[in-house]
């Protein structure tokens, strides 16, 4: 098995290590030539995943030139996906692309698969998402993810190609639901991080996770998703992971915000842009998403954390939905 992974961040590198450990040959593309040289010489990705050795069958490259018929895993941040696809569209034309990014494009409200359909219309697109930390995957710890592909036959092929002894892929055809689950849970994770950082308690976190999940399902079903998808790995599973661990960048960002501390600006926090994009989507469709709206308002400094909490607690009493 031979694949190209575009994006040498933590997740792309972890997937490369997992696949190479099973005997796969992996080209790991990075846009930074200096990073390619570092990985080639040190056999580690010190910038993104320090302490993890890169197997010999991983070849760091700075030119994206996949072999004919080779599957390409695209692991770049959602907000940079359009630029990446625009720059490399010729190399990706007609290929199978597995998108490994989570979020909603800020300027357009589009999901990653919709951006890919616009810029590389002749590519076959699948999505890999679900509860995982890159370090767990790279260390060979048991992990289960969702592989979403509208073409069931292609989905089965990719499932067999990309699963390993420690990385188990479950297949769905609901790409919309899988993408929205992975995107929306990041917003709720920021909210939960704020709650724990501000020492508002685990009971408050549990409430936010539960009501946040209701928001996720509400928007996803309005956009055509199967609610059952949100109950799986790409929705509930990812929500549970990212709302309970400081390994999650979204949770740890919210945690720093709740404590009034600075957060490393070099770390990508997909939920920040997603909160703003989803708030606009929900308002345009008159969908009630109060937690998402409050997170967006706090991030835009329109509300303080105390004011956001007060606004949520002051909402009218209602039946649980």
């Amino acid at each position: 098995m031979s694949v190209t992974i575009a994006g040498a961040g933590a997740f792309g590198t972890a997937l490369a290590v997992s696949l190479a450990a099973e005997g796969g040959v992996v080209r790991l593309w990075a846009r930074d030539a200096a990073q390619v040289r570092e990985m080639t010489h040190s056999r580690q990705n010190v910038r993104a995943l320090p302490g993890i050795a890169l197997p010999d069958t991983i070849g760091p490259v700075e030119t994206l030139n996949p072999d004919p018929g080779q599957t390409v895993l695209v692991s770049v941040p959602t907000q940079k996906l359009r630029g990446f696809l625009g720059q490399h569209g010729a190399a990706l034309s007609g290929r199978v692309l597995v998108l490994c990014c989570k979020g909603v494009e800020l300027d357009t409200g589009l999901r990653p698969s919709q951006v890919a359909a616009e810029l590389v219309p002749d590519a076959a697109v699948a999505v890999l998402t679900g509860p995982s930390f890159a370090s767990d995957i790279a260390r060979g710890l048991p992990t289960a993810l969702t592989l979403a592909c509208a073409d069931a036959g292609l989905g089965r092929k990719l499932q067999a190609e990309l699963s390993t002894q420690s990385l188990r892929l479950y297949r769905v055809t609901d790409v919309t639901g899988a993408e929205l689950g992975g995107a929306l849970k990041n917003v709720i994770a920021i909210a939960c991080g704020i709650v724990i950082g501000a020492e508002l308690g685990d009971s408050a976190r549990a409430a936010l996770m539960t009501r946040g999940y209701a928001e996720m399902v509400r928007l996803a079903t309005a956009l055509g998703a199967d609610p059952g998808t949100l109950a799986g790995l790409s929705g509930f599973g990812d929500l549970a992971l990212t709302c309970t661990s400081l390994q999650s960048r979204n949770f740890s960002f919210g945690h720093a915000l709740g404590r009034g501390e600075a957060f490393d600006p070099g770390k990508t926090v997909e939920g920040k842009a997603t909160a703003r994009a989803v708030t606009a989507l929900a308002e345009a469709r008159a969908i009630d998403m109060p937690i998402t709206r409050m997170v967006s308002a706090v991030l835009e400094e329109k509300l303080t954390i105390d004011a956001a909490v007060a606004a949520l607690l002051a909402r009218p009493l209602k039946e649980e939905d």
Side-chain angles (χ1 to χ4, degrees):
M1 183 269 296
S2 174
V3 300
T4 289
I5 298 179
F11 191 67
T13 303
L15 289 174
V17 171
S18 180
L19 293 170
E22 298 279 313
V25 177
V26 182
R27 285 179 178 168
L28 181 59
W29 174 86
R31 60 186 174 86
D32 186 340
Q35 185 181 15
V36 172
R37 290 193 296 271
E38 290 170 5
M39 290 189 292
T40 300
H41 294 304
S42 70
R43 302 310 300 172
Q44 287 189 51
N45 187 346
V46 177
R47 300 188 189 186
L49 205 61
I52 301 294
L54 300 182
D56 291 340
T57 51
I58 294 178
V61 296
E62 59 181 287
T63 300
L64 190 63
N65 185 26
D67 291 335
Q70 196 175 52
T71 298
V72 179
L73 280 66
V74 180
S75 185
V76 300
T78 296
Q79 305 308 321
K80 295 182 179 180
L81 179 63
R82 180 175 293 274
F84 168 80
L85 294 177
Q87 181 179 357
H88 300 284
L92 300 174
S93 178
R95 295 189 177 277
V96 175
L97 305 182
V98 180
L99 305 179
C100 305
C101 41
K102 301 176 182 179
V104 176
E105 192 174 48
L106 181 57
D107 292 338
T108 65
L110 297 178
R111 295 175 281 110
S113 65
Q114 294 174 311
V115 176
E118 179 184 325
L119 293 176
V120 197
D122 60 347
V125 174
V127 169
L128 186 63
T129 184
S132 62
F133 291 135
S135 61
D136 290 348
I137 294 175
R139 291 163 57 201
L141 299 180
T143 304
L145 299 176
T146 293
L147 178 73
C149 186
D151 182 335
L154 176 59
R156 284 190 290 271
K157 175 181 177 294
L158 291 171
Q159 182 183 35
E161 182 179 0
L162 301 177
S163 293
T164 70
Q165 290 185 358
S166 59
L167 181 61
R168 181 178 177 86
L169 304 188
Y170 286 82
R171 189 180 69 253
V172 300
T173 56
D174 179 17
V175 175
T176 299
E179 284 189 301
L180 287 174
L184 299 174
K185 60 86 189 177
N186 282 337
V187 181
I188 308 306
I190 291 175
C192 287
I194 291 172
V195 160
I196 298 302
E199 299 183 353
L200 298 178
D202 286 325
S203 296
R205 170 166 53 184
L208 274 182
M209 289 176 66
T210 307
R211 298 310 303 160
Y213 178 74
E215 290 189 15
M216 291 166 59
V217 173
R218 196 178 301 139
L219 179 66
T221 53
L223 296 178
D226 179 350
T229 305
L230 277 293
L233 291 164
S234 60
F236 175 77
D238 216 352
L239 180 72
L241 183 70
T242 54
C243 290
T244 57
S245 174
L246 284 169
Q247 288 191 71
S248 161
R249 290 185 180 184
N250 292 280
F251 179 83
S252 59
F253 168 76
H255 189 267
L257 196 61
R259 291 174 62 86
E261 297 175 350
F263 187 79
D264 184 352
K267 292 184 177 180
T268 300
V269 181
E270 292 279 23
K272 291 194 293 184
T274 298
R276 295 167 59 194
V278 169
T279 296
L281 277 176
E283 290 177 350
R285 291 163 175 78
I287 299 170
D288 190 28
M289 299 187 72
I291 297 172
T292 301
R293 188 170 65 250
M294 292 302 165
V295 170
S296 180
V298 168
L299 295 179
E300 294 182 342
E301 299 183 346
K302 295 178 179 178
L303 282 179
T304 64
I305 291 173
D306 288 344
V309 171
L312 288 173
L313 290 175
R315 283 171 53 81
L317 300 177
K318 54 179 286 188
E319 290 186 358
E320 186 174 23
D321 56 357

